[in-house]
Amino acid sequence: MSDAQRDPETDTPPAGPGPWWAGLGPVAGGVLVACGGVLLLWLVLRGSGVEEHWAQYYGAAKVVAVGLVVAGTTLVARRGGKRHAE
């Protein structure tokens, strides 16, 4: 297909640099989950209320979520790659 025939609204944009976690593997995802969990545990044991320090809880939960996404997508991609190789 030539450039004149392509519709710019249906073509996917060129891949640019991804988010900071794009190159991490499952081990790094597990480390992020562990670090976020430790931070959440520390916040709970310290006794700080959610109303007062909601941003700290939110940040720790984001670290856990990113770690779960990184580990999960990497493991699924590896498993899917093994299926296609067979």
Side-chain angles (χ1 to χ4, degrees):
M1 184 183 283
S2 69
D3 289 337
Q5 295 173 335
R6 290 187 185 165
D7 184 9
E9 293 188 22
T10 58
D11 286 344
T12 57
W20 61 268
W21 64 81
L24 299 177
V27 174
V31 169
L32 284 174
V33 171
C35 288
V38 167
L39 181 58
L40 282 171
L41 184 63
W42 179 72
L43 287 169
V44 169
L45 292 178
R46 191 175 69 165
S48 60
V50 176
E51 298 84 20
E52 302 161 358
H53 302 287
W54 64 269
Q56 292 173 345
Y57 284 95
Y58 177 71
K62 274 191 349 184
V63 170
V64 170
V66 168
L68 288 172
V69 168
V70 167
T73 55
T74 305
L75 292 174
V76 167
R78 285 186 181 178
R79 184 173 181 176
K82 288 181 182 178
R83 278 192 186 153
H84 294 295
E86 294 176 355

